[in-house]
Amino acid sequence: MNKDYKFVDQAIEELLPKVKEAGLDTVWDRFKSMQPQCGFGELGICCRICWKGPCRIDPFGNGSQRGICGADAHTIVARNLIRGIAAGAAAHSDHGRHIALTLLEVAEGHAPAYCIKDEKKLMSVAARLGLSTEGKNVRQVAKEVALATLEDFSRQNSSIPCSWARQTMTAERAEKLTALGVMPHNIDAVVAGIMNRTHVGCDADPVNLLLGGLKGALADYTGMYLSTELSDVIFGTPEPVITTANLGVLKEDAVNIAVHGHNPLLSEIICDVAGSMDEEARQAGAKEGINIVGVCCTGNEVMARRGIPLATNYLSQEMAVLTGAVDAMVVDVQCIMPSLGVLQECYHTQLITTMATNKIPGAVHVEFTEKTALEDARRVVELAIEAYKRRDKNKINIPQYKETAIVGFSAEAVFAALSKLNKEDPLKPLLDNIVNGNIQGVALFAGCSTTRVAQDHNFVTIARELARHNVLLLATGCGAGAFAKLGLMTQEATEAYAGDSLKAVLTAVGEAAGLNGPLPLVLHMGSCVDNTRAVTVATALANKLGVDLDKLPVVASAPEAMSEKAVAIGTWAVTLGIPTHLGIIPQVTGSSLVTEVLTDKLKDLVGGYFIVETDPLRAAGKLYEVIRERRKALGI
Amino acid sequence: MAKIKENSFIYADPQKCLGCKNCGLACALAHAGCDLQTAVAGKRQLQPRNSVVKAGDMFMPIQCRQCEDAPCAQACPTGAIRQEDGLVKINEQNCVGCKVCSMVCPFGAIVVTPVPNAEPNRKTKRGKALKCDLCFSSVRKDGQLTCACVEACPTQAVMLVDPEGYRTKILEARAKELAKAHSVAKQKRA
């Protein structure tokens, strides 16, 4: 574990010494002072499920090999792992539920701030859910879609799979997963089921527990899929847009509002109202009016849909405040560091929490509801303008780093770009190039950033290496944030790093799509909840080829994963048949059995499996090797 | 004649110990010379040289005190244990695993166990006496001893104590208190 690493992101490197001078702590200082971290926890062999415990297993075989109840390392590790998956599924699906309920409010006319921005997508979603749209107006269809979606949270008949799971993967995959007993019928019931079976004295069979984990992961997939698609219906489906990323997007002469978290429901409305409040900002002295920037995945949401610049990704969120130029940090849910509340003691930045279930000591709370979204958004902007007046000019320190980023590659946008090459059969050009080897395969980068590795380093290193081998690169979440910040979502990056045949394909598509040059090296598919966009593309390819997902030369990598959501995403990727790389060591190695199942045995069961490799260059090698193997198996 | 320096030793403050056993993991790994993930993946059976013992509602990590008149060294029939380099050392080459040292140790700080990863031997179990050696082979760049258990303790309960320095600190602290008490008493009398 490297604690004194150099940052790839020069903006952080430049800002950090100044933070130290001010005597403030950042995530990296806290990581250092947390060393050494508990070895039992790292191995996943500490059980705190009941109050007879905590129990821990001696990994060296001398001391206790079973907890007080008799659970061994395998049971304990499996239980801990799948509880993480349940938490990830709960996070994603609660986000999705919020969007679905908003769609219902829109349909019933109770949410004046919102509308159906993408009717075409609404209709395609309705068709996918098997709903007839004939003779119905948009609001009727929206209501039916919302209600059909909410059924995935409430269905009691366990023999009927969740519609959003069943209808979005290949038929073969859905059958296979149903036969395995891991298809979810009701997201909430599956999450509750995991909490139930891991209670003291319940499921102790590690393999059965892990199967429960796969089901939990597919519940997560369901919640994510519906969340993305319905967000597109309400806020519009992303299309390619050119913007900028990194801390240099903050403006000294503007009221800077950073939107941070994951859920676009409030941040979208803030963007809507900010324009009309520009004059108030100017009157307060901000010559450039209001400047909205994104952090983490709320940042990715508004970046992909509106071209709002991205200030930074997860791990460096504190850096945004430490520029002294962020007037309000508006947060919704997930991945928000409580330290932001502490930093406010030294900086004028107003931290504003907005969700009833996500409050942070030190923040002002403006409770958001769909019905009052416009007023809530205005209140937030007013607070930002008030905070601007309290700015300390001496503390302003904006590192002048920003990169162009071409973002907004939803599945629809990818198909639209391809249709410029072949209107009748948009997938054909992509498929042809995969078959002829111009594109060797596809890699999806997902997941967080973590103190366990130099931030962004693994992402950038693996991506460059795979691009050199002509692998098409997709990214979401804080991985996408890393690539955007560091200039890998540019046409120049394609010129610099793509292998010759990949470069030719990206250029042909980019030129046809009117970009006057190639597509960017890495395609930004959205926030972390949008990983399912990549599944949409993969499923279309698989259906076109007439094979299941586990045959495709498609891999995923979460090289800097950290959150329980990432655990859930990685697990469903594997369950769908996609080999998935982890660049950090997951907290499961205390059980040889669980480790073996995850990295090997799952291959026979579902086709996907985890590849754990902490060295990014070697990881790239292993991922490329998988792509080669799969090509060989397909005979291409 | 130069004064004989007392041996440094590892001491753990039971007020601070939470019983997490991280010191044990660190000790076992330090003596195996590998990291946690490698050890676990290789299913290596490693032996810590300390034990965390619960006494009432307190935890007490116990390891060799590096005794100044060490009973283990006195008792060892093969002369494998002797005072050397500021600690009580076991020369594993000479140890036959007879357990006399572990029986005479007042702290139960010596275990006799097969040396990790010793090649199996059909004649014997290859057991050797193991105890805290202050990680004597691990010296930091600045020349100071670095002890794995000390570095691993999340609450800084475990420390490497230099008896003379420790005593000086206590003497100074008590002297300060006593001097203050005396001067107050004097003022009152006056």
Side-chain angles (χ1 to χ4, degrees):
Chain A
M1 202 177 308
N2 190 351
K3 283 161 254 165
D4 292 309
Y5 44 66
K6 281 269 182 195
F7 291 88
V8 190
D9 182 347
Q10 290 301 306
I12 302 173
E13 192 77 53
E14 185 177 309
L15 204 49
L16 262 188
K18 283 155 191 157
V19 173
K20 284 201 176 124
E21 277 166 32
L24 290 167
D25 266 357
T26 64
V27 68
W28 296 284
D29 299 305
R30 295 190 297 274
F31 175 68
K32 241 181 168 175
S33 63
M34 195 53 67
Q35 301 309 314
Q37 286 168 280
C38 174
F40 298 95
E42 291 199 0
L43 298 173
I45 44 177
C46 170
C47 180
R48 291 189 300 109
I49 287 176
C50 90
W51 288 1
K52 299 194 302 306
C55 296
R56 60 234 180 300
I57 305 303
D58 181 339
F60 305 140
N62 302 304
S64 306
Q65 294 302 295
R66 286 182 183 271
I68 297 167
C69 73
D72 63 8
H74 310 304
T75 303
I76 291 172
V77 167
R79 283 179 177 168
N80 287 340
L81 175 70
I82 77 169
R83 280 195 165 206
I85 292 174
H92 280 139
S93 61
D94 239 8
H95 172 169
R97 183 199 333 261
H98 202 165
I99 306 280
L101 288 171
T102 304
L103 182 64
L104 186 61
E105 303 255 28
V106 174
E108 293 179 338
H110 298 145
Y114 304 90
C115 61
I116 309 290
K117 276 199 184 154
D118 193 339
E119 288 182 18
K120 198 174 147 204
K121 179 120 188 189
L122 175 68
M123 297 306 157
S124 76
V125 165
R128 190 180 250 179
L129 293 176
L131 303 169
S132 138
T133 55
E134 239 180 74
K136 290 174 191 161
N137 66 29
V138 171
R139 273 165 67 162
Q140 280 172 313
V141 177
K143 183 169 180 169
E144 286 185 23
V145 165
L147 291 175
T149 298
L150 291 168
E151 259 187 62
D152 278 357
F153 290 91
S154 61
R155 185 179 296 106
Q156 297 305 316
N157 184 342
S158 59
S159 65
I160 304 172
C162 284
S163 308
W164 278 100
R166 171 64 193 85
Q167 306 300 337
T168 53
M169 58 181 79
T170 57
E172 191 182 331
R173 179 75 10 190
E175 268 166 42
K176 184 180 214 132
L177 298 178
T178 305
L180 260 179
V182 299
M183 270 299 254
H185 67 289
N186 169 333
I187 298 168
D188 290 346
V190 172
V191 171
I194 288 180
M195 299 315 284
N196 168 11
R197 71 199 294 166
T198 57
H199 184 274
V200 63
C202 295
D203 199 356
D205 177 340
V207 174
N208 202 41
L209 282 160
L210 290 176
L211 285 171
L214 300 192
K215 191 169 183 176
L218 288 170
D220 178 74
Y221 166 83
T222 311
M224 287 175 72
Y225 216 122
L226 65 91
S227 173
T228 294
E229 302 297 290
L230 299 190
S231 293
D232 284 354
V233 168
I234 300 174
F235 301 117
T237 305
E239 288 171 12
V241 56
I242 301 172
T243 182
T244 48
N246 214 343
L247 291 173
V249 303
L250 292 164
K251 294 179 184 168
E252 190 156 356
D253 291 321
V255 174
N256 291 305
I257 303 177
V259 290
H260 172 17
H262 285 77
N263 190 325
L265 282 173
L266 178 60
S267 51
E268 277 284 335
I269 311 303
I270 292 173
C271 294
D272 284 342
V273 304
S276 66
M277 295 177 77
D278 228 30
E279 194 45 43
E280 284 170 53
R282 285 177 213 277
Q283 273 170 16
K287 280 180 275 180
E288 294 199 59
I290 292 169
N291 179 40
I292 300 180
V293 301
V295 173
C296 204
C297 279
T298 293
N300 281 319
E301 295 271 346
V302 289
M303 178 159 76
R305 292 205 178 86
R306 294 177 176 258
I308 297 282
L310 183 79
T312 199
N313 51 351
Y314 168 75
L315 200 64
S316 39
Q317 57 186 273
E318 292 164 321
M319 293 290 120
V321 174
L322 297 171
T323 61
V326 173
D327 301 297
M329 176 80 91
V330 191
V331 302
D332 47 75
V333 293
Q334 301 161 16
C335 302
I336 301 144
M337 291 187 189
S339 61
L340 295 179
V342 183
L343 289 177
Q344 285 201 129
E345 288 167 15
C346 302
Y347 287 84
H348 79 294
T349 307
Q350 181 71 65
L351 179 65
I352 306 171
T353 51
T354 58
M355 299 286 177
T357 52
N358 286 254
K359 293 188 178 180
I360 296 174
V364 165
H365 187 71
V366 176
E367 186 133 333
F368 159 82
T369 67
E370 296 86 85
K371 287 189 182 68
T372 58
L374 281 168
E375 295 85 71
D376 303 335
R378 277 196 203 102
R379 178 74 194 122
V380 162
V381 178
E382 279 165 14
L383 283 169
I385 296 171
E386 276 167 39
Y388 173 83
K389 296 174 190 163
R390 299 196 302 269
R391 250 198 213 179
D392 180 349
K393 286 222 154 42
N394 298 320
K395 285 189 179 169
I396 296 180
N397 201 331
I398 306 173
Q400 292 305 315
Y401 291 95
K402 65 174 171 185
E403 295 279 353
T404 299
I406 307 175
V407 303
F409 290 92
S410 56
E412 289 83 346
V414 171
F415 297 146
L418 291 167
S419 73
K420 299 279 165 38
L421 290 179
N422 187 334
K423 200 161 187 296
E424 284 73 41
D425 193 355
L427 273 178
K428 193 169 182 294
L430 181 58
L431 202 60
D432 287 348
N433 279 299
I434 291 176
V435 170
N436 68 22
N438 284 340
I439 294 176
Q440 287 286 306
V442 183
L444 167 67
F445 288 92
C448 335
S449 33
T450 171
T451 39
R452 285 181 180 264
V453 299
Q455 184 180 353
D456 310 322
H457 175 68
N458 282 0
F459 280 112
V460 173
T461 310
I462 301 174
R464 284 183 188 159
E465 190 63 13
L466 288 179
R468 196 167 69 80
H469 287 297
N470 299 302
V471 175
L472 178 65
L473 307 177
L474 313 174
T476 59
C478 283
F483 294 126
K485 280 192 321 184
L486 299 169
L488 264 66
M489 290 178 163
T490 58
Q491 297 180 320
E492 292 78 9
T494 307
E495 301 288 357
Y497 303 114
D500 288 341
S501 59
L502 174 67
K503 199 185 293 178
V505 178
L506 292 177
T507 305
V509 181
E511 294 281 359
L515 283 173
N516 295 324
L519 290 178
L521 184 71
V522 186
L523 300 183
H524 189 304
M525 292 205 108
S527 64
C528 54
V529 84
D530 295 335
N531 275 305
T532 45
R533 294 192 196 280
V535 179
T536 308
V537 177
T539 303
L541 275 177
N543 284 334
K544 175 101 184 142
L545 263 172
V547 298
D548 195 4
L549 291 163
D550 63 348
K551 303 289 183 294
L552 295 178
V554 173
V555 293
S557 173
E560 303 178 22
M562 152 292 320
S563 74
E564 289 167 313
K565 291 181 296 169
V567 178
I569 298 170
T571 308
W572 66 243
V574 160
T575 310
L576 291 184
I578 301 166
T580 299
H581 162 245
L582 293 176
I584 45 92
I585 294 172
Q587 294 173 357
V588 302
T589 49
S591 161
S592 52
L593 190 151
V594 172
T595 306
E596 196 188 352
V597 170
L598 296 177
T599 56
D600 181 33
K601 296 280 180 251
L602 273 181
K603 193 175 185 177
D604 301 331
L605 212 58
V606 290
Y609 52 96
F610 283 102
I611 301 161
V612 179
E613 176 54 69
T614 55
D615 180 283
L617 275 179
R618 257 186 269 158
K622 287 180 180 177
L623 288 169
Y624 186 57
E625 195 48 45
V626 172
I627 287 173
R628 304 279 300 171
E629 263 172 40
R630 288 210 163 175
R631 291 187 67 87
K632 207 170 156 195
L634 278 172
I636 58 175
Chain B
M1 201 175 113
K3 188 173 173 259
I4 296 169
K5 200 176 171 296
E6 292 151 282
N7 293 337
S8 292
F9 64 100
I10 299 288
Y11 168 74
D13 182 349
Q15 307 274 8
K16 288 186 185 167
C17 177
L18 298 175
C20 75
K21 297 191 182 178
N22 242 13
C23 53
L25 288 191
C27 176
L29 290 169
H31 289 89
C34 73
D35 67 69
L36 181 63
Q37 298 293 350
T38 313
V40 172
K43 298 190 178 167
R44 293 179 65 176
Q45 193 161 4
L46 305 182
Q47 179 68 49
R49 288 145 192 244
N50 56 1
S51 335
V52 181
V53 183
K54 196 174 185 202
D57 53 1
M58 306 266 260
F59 294 101
M60 192 72 201
I62 301 250
Q63 54 277 304
C64 172
R65 306 279 299 192
Q66 315 298 345
C67 299
E68 301 296 315
D69 188 12
C72 55
Q74 301 280 12
C76 178
T78 64
I81 308 181
R82 54 171 58 231
Q83 171 75 33
E84 212 175 294
D85 301 334
L87 65 133
V88 178
K89 260 190 203 172
I90 300 178
N91 180 346
E92 282 175 16
Q93 298 280 317
N94 295 352
C95 175
V96 296
C98 72
K99 300 174 279 288
V100 169
C101 57
S102 73
M103 291 178 75
V104 298
C105 174
F107 297 95
I110 306 180
V111 285
V112 180
T113 184
V115 176
N117 307 310
E119 285 299 312
N121 178 324
R122 281 168 61 199
K123 288 182 190 157
T124 84
K125 290 196 283 189
R126 301 284 307 273
K128 301 281 178 188
L130 299 179
K131 71 169 192 69
C132 168
D133 57 7
L134 299 181
C135 293
F136 74 90
S137 53
S138 311
V139 181
R140 280 203 310 240
K141 278 184 198 143
D142 60 8
Q144 291 290 308
L145 277 178
T146 160
C147 299
C149 56
V150 176
E151 297 202 338
C153 180
T155 61
Q156 276 130 50
V158 184
M159 54 201 130
L160 175 65
V161 176
D162 159 30
E164 197 174 326
Y166 192 77
R167 200 167 46 244
T168 308
K169 255 192 225 160
I170 293 176
L171 281 172
E172 281 172 359
R174 291 302 88 74
K176 220 185 234 174
E177 283 171 12
L178 286 173
K180 201 176 168 192
H182 278 294
S183 73
V184 170
K186 220 179 196 177
Q187 274 171 9
K188 275 193 182 162
R189 276 204 304 272

